[in-house]
C-alpha cells in the first residue's frame, strides 16, 4: 500500500479532490472519497453519466425532499396536469410551483393559464379571459414514470462508481490497483465487462423494506461464494444493484463485511467488520454479554432479559444485516434487462415513496415556505383535491395550531403527528384515499381553520434551520 495519497482510478498524486461517492443531488447524507483526481475522475463523471441519472430521478428526489446543497431549488420534472378539464404540460419543482408566475399552454394549444397579473400583460382582449379560483379547482396530475433509467449504461456506471469508491474509502485504498482493473475500466470508459446486475427477488425486497427507512440508500459488502467482492447498493430502496468490485479480496482490503444506511433526514447507520464470521461472532458475544441486559419480569419461572438503553444501538441491526447478506450471497438469478418481475418490484417501490409522507423537519419547513409565504392569501382547502401529501402536511399544521404550543423540535413534531394520526411509536405514515378524506373533513369542518393553519405554520417558521 503506497504511503502517499493517489487517485484510485489513475494513480496520480497531484490535484486530488474529495469525490461525492453518491452524487450530491441524490442524497442528503454525504459520503466522500478523498483519493480521486479532480478533473479526469471527479468532474468528468458528472457529464459522462451522473447528470442523466440525476435528471431522470428528479421526481423521486422531489418526493423525498432530497436536493443538492449547491442548488437553491429542488430538481424539476415534467408532468401533465389537468385543470378544469384541460390538460397542460408543465415542468414542476413542487405542487405549488404550477402557478408560479408562469404561463401554461394547454397540450392542444387552445388555452393559456396564468395568474391574473401575468395575463393582463399578455392578453389584448379581456373578454377572452375566464377566471378560475385555484382553491376550488380539482387539479389532477399525471406523472409518467419511465423505468428505462434503471437499466441504462449511465445508471450501471454510476452504481459501479458508488460501490467502488465506497469500498475503497472504507478500506483506505490509495492509488490504482490491478485487482480493480475491470471496474475501473467500466466506470471510466464504459469498456470491459459490466460488473452490475439487478436483484429481482420480490421476497428479499419485502424483507428489506421492513428494516430500512423509506427512501434511504443503503450499501452491503460481502464475499460471495465464488470469492468475488460483492457490493450491493440499494438506490432509494427502489432497486438493489449488485456490483462485482473485484474477483477476489485484494490483500490490502481488510473490511469485507460492511453495511451503511443513509437516510433522507441525513442520519446514518454503519457496520464495519472484516468478514461474515467475525460479524456473527461479534453479535453473539454481544448477546452473551450480561452487561448489555437487565433482568426483567419472571414469566412462568423464566427470567426475561431486557436490552439496556445503553446497549450499542448498532447491535440491534446485526440480525437484519447478517440475514440480508446471507440471502444476497445465495441468490443467483439477477437480471440486467427489463422483465415482468423487476417491473413489478420497481413500481411497487416507487409507489411506496409517493404514497407515504415523510415527516421530518426539512420536509415540513419546505412545505410551509411554499404555501405560507409572506403576504399569501388565507389558505382555503380545495374540497375535491386529491393531493395526499398536501392534505397530510396541512393536517399536521392544523394539529400544531390546535395544540397551542409555541415552539417545536424533532421529537415534538413526531409526537404531535403520532397523536393526531392515532399511530403507534414505529408506524409509518401511509395515507390512502379514505385517510386523506377524513383529514380534509376534520380541517374544513372547523370554523376558523385558516387561522389555526396559520398558527401552526408560524410555529414551523420559528423553528431554526
Ligand atoms: Zn485519476
Amino acid at each position: 500500500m503506497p504511503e502517499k495519497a493517489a487517485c484510485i482510478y489513475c494513480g496520480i498524486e497531484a490535484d486530488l479532490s474529495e469525490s461525492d461517492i453518491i452524487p450530491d443531488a441524490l442524497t442528503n447524507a454525504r459520503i466522500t472519497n478523498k483519493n480521486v483526481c479532480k478533473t479526469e475522475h471527479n468532474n468528468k463523471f458528472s457529464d459522462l453519466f451522473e447528470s442523466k441519472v440525476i435528471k431522470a430521478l428528479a421526481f423521486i428526489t422531489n418526493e423525498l425532499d432530497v436536493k443538492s446543497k449547491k442548488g437553491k431549488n429542488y430538481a424539476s420534472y415534467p408532468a401533465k396536469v389537468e385543470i378544469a378539464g384541460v390538460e397542460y404540460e408543465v415542468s414542476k419543482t413542487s405542487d405549488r410551483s404550477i402557478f408560479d408566475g408562469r404561463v401554461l399552454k394547454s397540450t392542444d394549444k387552445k388555452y393559456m393559464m396564468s395568474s391574473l397579473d401575468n395575463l393582463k400583460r399578455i392578453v389584448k382582449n379581456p373578454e377572452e379571459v375566464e377566471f378560475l379560483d385555484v382553491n376550488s379547482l380539482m387539479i389532477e396530475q399525471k406523472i409518467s414514470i419511465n423505468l428505462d433509467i434503471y437499466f441504462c449504461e449511465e445508471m450501471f456506471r454510476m452504481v459501479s462508481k458508488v460501490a467502488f469508491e465506497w469500498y475503497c474509502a472504507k478500506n483506505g485504498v490509495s492509488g490504482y490497483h490491478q485487482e480493480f482493473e475491470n471496474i475501473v475500466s467500466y466506470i471510466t470508459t464504459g469498456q470491459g465487462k459490466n460488473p452490475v446486475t439487478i436483484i429481482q427477488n420480490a421476497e428479499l425486497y419485502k424483507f428489506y423494506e421492513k428494516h430500512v427507512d423509506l427512501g434511504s440508500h443503503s450499501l452491503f459488502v460481502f464475499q460471495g461464494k465464488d470469492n468475488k467482492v460483492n457490493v450491493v447498493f440499494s438506490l432509494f430502496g427502489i432497486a438493489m444493484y449488485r456490483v462485482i468490485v473485484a474477483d477476489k479480496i485484494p490483500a490490502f482490503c481488510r473490511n469485507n463485511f460492511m453495511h451503511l444506511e443513509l437516510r433522507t433526514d441525513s442520519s446514518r447507520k454503519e457496520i464495519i467488520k472484516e468478514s461474515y464470521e467475525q460479524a456473527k461472532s461479534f453479535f453473539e458475544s454481544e448477546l452473551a454479554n450480561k452487561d448489555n441486559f437487565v433482568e426483567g419480569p419472571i414469566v412462568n419461572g423464566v427470567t426475561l432479559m431486557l436490552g439496556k438503553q445503553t446497549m450499542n444501538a448498532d447491535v440491534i441491526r446485526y440480525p437484519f444485516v447478517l440475514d440480508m447478506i446471507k440471502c444476497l450471497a445465495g441468490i443467483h438469478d439477477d437480471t440486467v434487462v427489463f422483465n415482468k418481475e423487476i417491473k413489478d418490484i420497481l413500481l411497487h417501490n416507487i409507489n411506496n415513496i409517493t404514497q407515504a409522507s415523510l415527516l421530518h423537519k426539512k420536509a415540513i419547513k419546505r412545505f410551509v415556505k411554499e404555501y405560507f409565504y409572506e403576504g399569501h392569501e388565507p389558505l382555503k382547502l380545495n374540497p375535491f383535491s386529491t393531493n395526499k401529501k398536501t392534505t397530510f402536511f396541512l393536517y399536521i399544521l392544523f394539529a400544531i395550531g390546535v395544540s397551542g404550543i409555541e415552539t417545536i423540535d424533532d421529537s415534538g413534531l413526531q409526537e404531535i403527528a403520532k397523536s393526531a394520526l392515532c399511530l403507534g411509536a414505529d408506524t409509518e405514515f401511509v395515507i390512502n384515499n379514505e385517510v386523506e378524506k377524513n383529514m380534509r373533513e376534520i380541517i374544513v369542518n372547523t370554523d376558523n381553520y385558516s387561522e389555526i393553519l396559520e398558527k401552526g405554520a408560524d410555529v414551523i417558521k420559528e423553528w431554526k434551520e
Side-chain angles (χ1 to χ4, degrees), residues 147-160:
L147 297 178
D148 293 345
I149 190 69
Y150 297 95
F151 304 89
C152 70
E153 188 191 296
E154 285 85 353
M155 177 65 92
F156 292 156
R157 286 172 76 181
M158 188 193 87
V159 163
S160 299

Side-chain angles (χ1 to χ4, degrees), residues 197-201 242 330-336 339:
T197 53
I198 309 175
I199 314 277
Q200 55 172 349
N201 184 300
R242 184 197 306 267
I331 290 175
H332 299 287
D333 62 346
D334 295 0
T335 183
V336 282
N339 62 44

Side-chain angles (χ1 to χ4, degrees), residues 8 93 134 195 269 297 302 310 322 331 342 389 455:
I8 52 174
T93 54
V134 176
K269 290 259 172 281
V302 179
T310 52
L322 286 163
I331 290 175
I342 193 68
K389 210 169 173 183
K455 262 191 215 161

Side-chain angles (χ1 to χ4, degrees), residues 181-199:
E181 186 187 6
N182 184 61
I183 195 165
V184 165
S185 156
Y186 187 74
I187 297 168
T188 54
T189 65
Q191 306 291 307
K193 189 177 180 296
N194 175 7
V196 184
T197 53
I198 309 175
I199 314 277

Side-chain angles (χ1 to χ4, degrees), residues 39-188:
T39 315
E40 205 60 29
H41 299 122
N42 191 347
N43 297 349
K44 272 193 184 167
F45 289 168
S46 157
D47 292 340
L48 281 174
F49 47 83
E50 290 174 340
S51 59
K52 179 178 167 182
V53 175
I54 291 168
K55 206 164 161 240
L57 296 180
F59 171 64
I60 303 292
T61 52
N62 227 293
E63 285 290 306
L64 292 169
D65 300 293
V66 168
K67 78 171 181 66
S68 162
K69 276 162 267 338
K70 294 165 209 146
K72 227 177 125 226
N73 297 316
Y74 289 87
S76 65
Y77 56 92
K80 285 183 177 167
V81 291
E82 204 180 297
I83 305 167
V86 181
E87 187 184 84
Y88 300 85
E89 280 166 27
V90 293
S91 167
K92 296 178 61 181
T93 54
S94 69
D95 292 326
R96 209 59 194 168
S97 71
I98 300 177
F99 302 104
D100 273 357
R102 357 183 219 178
V103 182
L104 307 181
K105 263 204 184 102
S106 65
T107 311
D108 63 8
K109 312 270 189 269
K110 284 184 183 156
Y111 298 89
M112 284 200 287
M113 167 127 176
S114 187
S115 68
L116 195 54
D117 299 350
N118 255 329
L119 279 183
K120 271 183 188 156
R121 274 192 280 118
I122 51 174
V123 175
K124 290 180 193 96
N125 182 3
E127 281 171 26
E128 288 176 0
V129 178
E130 187 190 342
F131 296 98
L132 296 168
D133 176 4
V134 176
N135 284 315
S136 62
L137 286 178
M138 173 116 161
I139 299 176
E140 245 190 285
Q141 73 160 338
K142 294 171 207 157
I143 310 284
S144 43
I145 304 277
N146 187 348
L147 297 178
D148 293 345
I149 190 69
Y150 297 95
F151 304 89
C152 70
E153 188 191 296
E154 285 85 353
M155 177 65 92
F156 292 156
R157 286 172 76 181
M158 188 193 87
V159 163
S160 299
K161 182 207 121 155
V162 170
F164 175 58
E165 290 190 8
W166 185 62
Y167 182 73
C168 287
K170 290 293 152 191
N171 277 293
V173 175
S174 176
Y176 173 78
H177 294 271
Q178 198 64 38
E179 288 87 339
F180 301 122
E181 186 187 6
N182 184 61
I183 195 165
V184 165
S185 156
Y186 187 74
I187 297 168
T188 54

Side-chain angles (χ1 to χ4, degrees), residues 7-12 16 35-38 40-42:
C7 177
I8 52 174
Y9 292 99
C10 64
I12 68 161
L16 293 183
N35 295 337
V36 177
C37 71
K38 193 172 173 193
E40 205 60 29
H41 299 122
N42 191 347

